[in-house]
Amino acid sequence: MAAGVPWMLGMADTMWSSIAPLRVDFGMIGLVFGACAMAIFVWSYLDYNNIPTLKVDLTEQERTQGHLEQDLKLSKSGKHPKGEGIGESDGQVVCYDPATLDVLGKKRIHTKEEVEDKVRRCAKAQEAWAKTSFKKRRMLLKIIQKYVLEHQMEICNVSAKDSGKPMLDAAFGEILTTCEKIRWLLAEGEAALKPEPRSAGSMMFYKSARVEFHPLGVVAAIVPWNYPFHNILNPVTAAVFAGCGIVVKVSEYATWSSEYYERIIHAALDEVGASRDLVQVVHGFATTGQALVKAKEISKVVFVGSTGIGRKVLEAAAENLTPVVLELGGKDPVIVCDDANLSQLVPIALRATYQSCGQNCTGAERILVQEGIYQKFLDAVVPTVRGMRQGAPLAGLVDCGAMCMPRQAQNVQALVDDAVRKGAKVVVGGSLKTEISKGQGQFYPPTILTGVTREMRIWNEEVFGPVMCVERFATDDDAVNLVNSNPFGLGSAIFSGSKARAKAIASRLKTGASSINDFATTYLCQSLPFGGVKESGFDKFGGVEGLRGMCYTKAVCEDRLPFLVTTVPPELQYPIKPHSFRMVCGIVHFFYGVGLYSNLCGLCRLLKALVLPGGKPKRVPPSKRD
Ligand SMILES: *[C@@H]1O[C@H](CO)[C@@H](O)[C@H](O)[C@H]1NC(C)=O
Ligand SMILES: *[C@@H]1O[C@H](CO)[C@@H](O)[C@H](O)[C@H]1NC(C)=O
Ligand SMILES: *[C@@H]1O[C@H](CO)[C@@H](O)[C@H](O)[C@H]1NC(C)=O
């Protein structure tokens, strides 16, 4: 108030002196700021509370540590005590915890007819959904996001039990990545799908051109087991945001948790008044996946998995000419130059290799270290890896969990054994004979291998396990060759004290992504496309490209001005006139002339054709006469 009075009287004063008292009244400023902050807080509180809260409870089995059928454990060979194997048990998928081998339950396998029926229902639901506003689609995602934020532990517990991954790896790979994806869709999704203006060219300067993005229809996603929650939510959020419906075939090794995740999505669809048919999950093995890929109404297939199965999906999709996105394996390298900061990169290299026990398509598979710091690098990583705690994720704090897929521990062992036979050296781990691996659970110990060479299977094949292969290189050219000679090309990382050097190396690596002085940060930038080259697959999901990939692009062209109407010039109308051809030649020369002189020549030809439609009879040169 005290500030207000002189201000009121300041009419006779100079401008400066009138505002000076206001300037120094911090109390007033504080009050205004305080009030604004309060208003923002209240407004954002009301805004958050406007987002419906889902009530999706865990079932008894999902909540408790125990198993469904009391005291039922699979044997290490993957046999159910009742004599059933994983998979073929009378139309059911046997689900179990890979860290304890507790049987979690059985889920019905969807038959071909059921899959086709689900796809048809999805197509019907999608017709209505395609007409919804972005506002409504954002609300759907916000509802899911709110539930995820408030139920991180439930989601991670269920994921940990189904996939054997430690809670921290679930928090990072399942929750954080998914939340970032939703955040990106909320913030930038609509802009990415807005019609994009394009140039119409010189001759059609009076037209405007644009690309429009319209929802494809029903998308099929076939996803792996390594991140049971994220792998479902990742394609689902993009598909529904773009206006598509989606049917997701989950892996037979991550079927149990998918039921909870599907319940969350369905509850959110209920909240916005959309049909539950819009997003559906199907369970089963190859025949279920094949039925989905071949279903008539499927407009696109997103496949994430191994190179071998990717080929089969592509074959199946060929029948209906259904486009496919293939996200296959990787053999992602970390290049460590001798001027790199070891204390910065060692923890990153360790997380990159051992998170989720290496079961991550963009996990680090090869660490290429320049000779100068090779030994220092090994000395820095070995003690940490030796000290890693491994065990069942829900029984206590562990650094490493289990291998999700049955027999994966044996597969990893076979790769390690082959390498050792051919001269590689095991520095840490490397054997299934450790106590943890012999017990109940699919464990492979954290391992470090050195001396890996081209002759070894592990050089080219994806391990997908907790194995760090440390290789040496001499020059930057060598490092580039080591990476580019590999059949895969998903991600890569380069560490160097010189950013210019790191960037120069990165630009020469034939991989779908490169991170500089960090690892796989490209995946956390959800505006970026994700996907590899060579045997890592093709096309992208994620980012602007992935979101637009859920759409068909429509090229649209129209008159720029409302009063402009395009007609066919008389010379081009039927019946064709004798000079029509010469006129078009002139037009071509005029518009596409190389440089101004050329344009002008074209203009002359055009005018000549118009002014002298009959043309002059051409003299035939004597040499051509016969
Ligand atoms: C998650 O699992 C842990 C360990 O079994 C348990 O203590 C905790 O209560 C569970 N939390 C939820 C929300 O289910
Ligand atoms: C896989 O690992 C990379 C690198 O550590 C990480 O950025 C990414 O989030 C992980 N994948 C998922 C699905 O979380
Ligand atoms: C190396 O990285 C560490 C962080 O791990 C940092 O504290 C240190 O300053 C870095 N050293 C140099 C020379 O940049």
Side-chain angles (χ1 to χ4, degrees):
M1 278 315 284
V5 176
W7 186 75
M8 300 282 267
L9 300 174
M11 283 180 283
D13 266 337
T14 62
M15 193 66 177
W16 172 250
S17 67
S18 68
I19 62 162
L22 243 188
R23 253 178 2 117
V24 293
D25 194 337
F26 289 112
M28 185 71 163
I29 294 172
L31 210 67
V32 171
F33 269 103
C36 286
M38 196 65 190
I40 290 171
F41 181 80
V42 170
W43 173 82
S44 59
Y45 169 81
L46 293 175
D47 193 46
Y48 185 73
N49 268 277
N50 262 340
I51 304 170
T53 305
L54 299 182
K55 264 205 69 59
V56 182
D57 293 324
L58 293 180
T59 62
E60 184 63 27
Q61 281 171 53
E62 284 160 356
R63 206 171 27 248
T64 54
Q65 263 270 46
H67 24 91
L68 171 79
E69 293 164 58
Q70 219 54 60
D71 294 326
L72 224 51
K73 272 182 187 290
L74 285 189
S75 68
K76 266 230 127 146
S77 61
K79 283 276 176 244
H80 198 263
K82 290 181 181 163
E84 302 158 337
I86 299 165
E88 8 88 0
S89 136
D90 59 34
Q92 317 236 33
V93 182
V94 177
C95 307
Y96 67 101
D97 178 340
T100 60
L101 302 187
D102 287 339
V103 174
L104 298 169
K106 295 192 224 162
K107 303 285 179 204
R108 229 167 49 74
I109 291 171
H110 291 114
T111 62
K112 180 167 176 280
E113 290 69 32
E114 285 171 310
V115 171
E116 285 167 355
D117 180 55
K118 277 170 177 284
V119 173
R120 260 194 304 277
R121 293 206 322 261
C122 185
K124 210 156 169 349
Q126 190 269 335
E127 278 174 30
W129 183 251
K131 300 189 189 99
T132 55
S133 63
F134 282 114
K135 189 161 172 251
K136 184 162 181 169
R137 298 179 200 170
R138 271 194 294 271
M139 183 48 86
L140 175 69
L141 296 188
K142 282 184 196 169
I143 294 170
I144 294 174
Q145 185 89 319
K146 186 175 184 181
Y147 182 86
V148 174
L149 291 174
E150 292 172 358
H151 298 82
Q152 299 188 40
M153 193 166 197
E154 283 86 343
I155 292 168
C156 290
N157 270 10
V158 169
S159 160
K161 228 189 307 191
D162 206 14
S163 67
K165 73 165 52 55
M167 291 296 280
L168 174 70
D169 293 345
F172 191 84
E174 301 278 41
I175 305 291
L176 194 145
T177 45
T178 305
C179 287
E180 176 55 35
K181 167 131 197 164
I182 295 179
R183 188 210 63 79
W184 178 77
L185 285 169
L186 293 175
E188 296 176 29
E190 185 174 353
L193 295 180
K194 267 222 171 77
E196 193 178 276
R198 299 282 172 92
S199 61
S202 56
M203 198 182 79
M204 295 212 296
F205 58 89
Y206 55 96
K207 301 250 182 202
S208 74
R210 65 176 176 276
V211 177
E212 292 177 356
F213 304 96
H214 297 279
L216 267 174
V218 182
V219 175
I222 300 183
V223 297
W225 39 262
N226 55 347
Y227 290 95
F229 180 69
H230 179 69
N231 289 348
I232 295 176
L233 271 283
N234 193 22
V236 164
T237 48
V240 294
F241 189 83
C244 291
I246 181 166
V247 180
V248 186
K249 149 83 174 65
V250 292
S251 160
E252 54 271 38
Y253 309 122
T255 300
W256 178 74
S257 54
S258 71
E259 231 169 52
Y260 170 42
Y261 304 146
E262 189 184 27
R263 287 205 306 277
I264 299 171
I265 298 166
H266 282 173
L269 288 170
D270 289 349
E271 277 298 335
V272 298
S275 165
R276 291 185 169 201
D277 291 342
L278 191 67
V279 179
Q280 299 181 68
V281 173
V282 295
H283 307 149
F285 293 83
T287 42
T288 307
Q290 197 168 51
L292 180 59
V293 172
K294 291 192 174 184
K296 213 172 71 240
E297 296 85 352
I298 295 294
S299 311
K300 185 161 200 168
V301 177
V302 177
F303 174 78
V304 184
S306 70
T307 305
I309 310 281
R311 279 202 186 89
K312 295 209 171 103
V313 168
L314 203 53
E315 270 169 35
E319 195 172 294
N320 293 332
L321 291 181
T322 311
V324 180
V325 180
L326 291 182
E327 294 307 339
L328 310 176
K331 193 86 191 144
D332 289 8
V334 175
I335 296 178
V336 180
C337 300
D338 53 10
D339 58 353
N341 181 343
L342 269 189
S343 57
Q344 181 231 350
L345 74 90
V346 162
I348 297 178
L350 288 167
R351 283 292 298 160
T353 307
Y354 297 104
Q355 76 161 312
S356 280
C357 251
Q359 301 165 99
N360 177 323
C361 51
T362 56
E365 291 256 333
R366 313 167 71 188
I367 315 284
L368 312 178
V369 189
Q370 199 164 13
E371 280 163 353
I373 55 166
Y374 178 80
Q375 197 53 46
K376 276 202 207 131
F377 176 82
L378 272 185
D379 292 345
V381 291
V382 167
T384 310
V385 178
R386 276 220 175 97
M388 278 182 178
R389 297 155 295 179
Q390 190 167 32
L394 294 179
L397 189 61
V398 292
D399 302 307
C400 275
M403 308 306 293
C404 181
M405 203 166 67
R407 301 208 54 79
Q408 176 64 1
Q410 285 80 355
N411 294 342
V412 175
Q413 187 65 59
L415 287 174
V416 171
D417 287 346
D418 170 79
V420 169
R421 247 197 322 276
K422 293 171 184 162
K425 189 167 154 251
V426 172
V427 182
V428 184
S431 168
L432 268 178
K433 295 201 180 76
T434 55
E435 208 170 309
I436 181 90
S437 315
K438 278 192 290 188
Q440 284 285 349
Q442 297 168 182
F443 292 101
Y444 193 84
T447 295
I448 297 181
L449 270 189
T450 58
V452 174
T453 58
R454 259 167 228 280
E455 302 72 51
M456 303 170 186
R457 280 176 56 203
I458 208 165
W459 180 276
N460 280 332
E461 291 179 35
E462 189 178 27
V463 180
F464 227 65
V467 180
M468 177 184 271
C469 292
V470 190
E471 302 165 31
R472 273 176 213 263
F473 72 90
T475 65
D476 293 5
D477 284 350
D478 293 341
V480 170
N481 288 338
L482 281 174
V483 174
N484 288 347
S485 60
N486 195 272
F488 291 103
L490 192 54
S492 55
I494 305 95
F495 287 85
S496 165
S498 152
K499 270 195 195 151
R501 180 178 175 191
K503 276 195 258 184
I505 296 176
S507 68
R508 294 172 62 197
L509 301 179
K510 196 162 182 189
T511 59
S514 286
S515 296
I516 290 172
N517 286 335
D518 205 338
F519 188 82
T521 38
T522 46
Y523 195 73
L524 259 191
C525 298
Q526 280 290 335
S527 63
L528 291 176
F530 179 76
V533 293
K534 303 198 282 185
E535 283 193 20
S536 293
F538 49 74
D539 209 344
K540 305 285 181 182
F541 75 70
V544 175
E545 288 79 358
L547 189 58
R548 288 181 173 177
M550 296 287 174
C551 299
Y552 63 93
T553 50
K554 184 192 286 276
V556 180
C557 191
E558 64 180 341
D559 287 318
R560 211 179 267 283
L561 299 166
F563 50 82
L564 254 176
V565 181
T566 310
T567 54
V568 178
E571 284 76 14
L572 302 186
Q573 288 180 15
Y574 293 113
I576 303 298
K577 321 293 176 291
H579 63 291
S580 300
F581 177 73
R582 283 191 297 127
M583 192 193 90
V584 174
C585 289
I587 290 175
V588 170
H589 206 145
F590 174 55
F591 281 106
Y592 305 105
V594 190
L596 186 60
Y597 170 75
S598 183
N599 295 127
L600 292 176
C601 290
L603 186 61
C604 292
R605 288 180 71 174
L606 173 60
L607 292 175
K608 201 164 129 196
L610 291 175
V611 175
L612 296 171
K616 271 190 265 172
K618 252 217 163 89
R619 250 187 293 142
V620 185
S623 60
K624 290 272 171 76
R625 280 184 205 146
D626 46 21

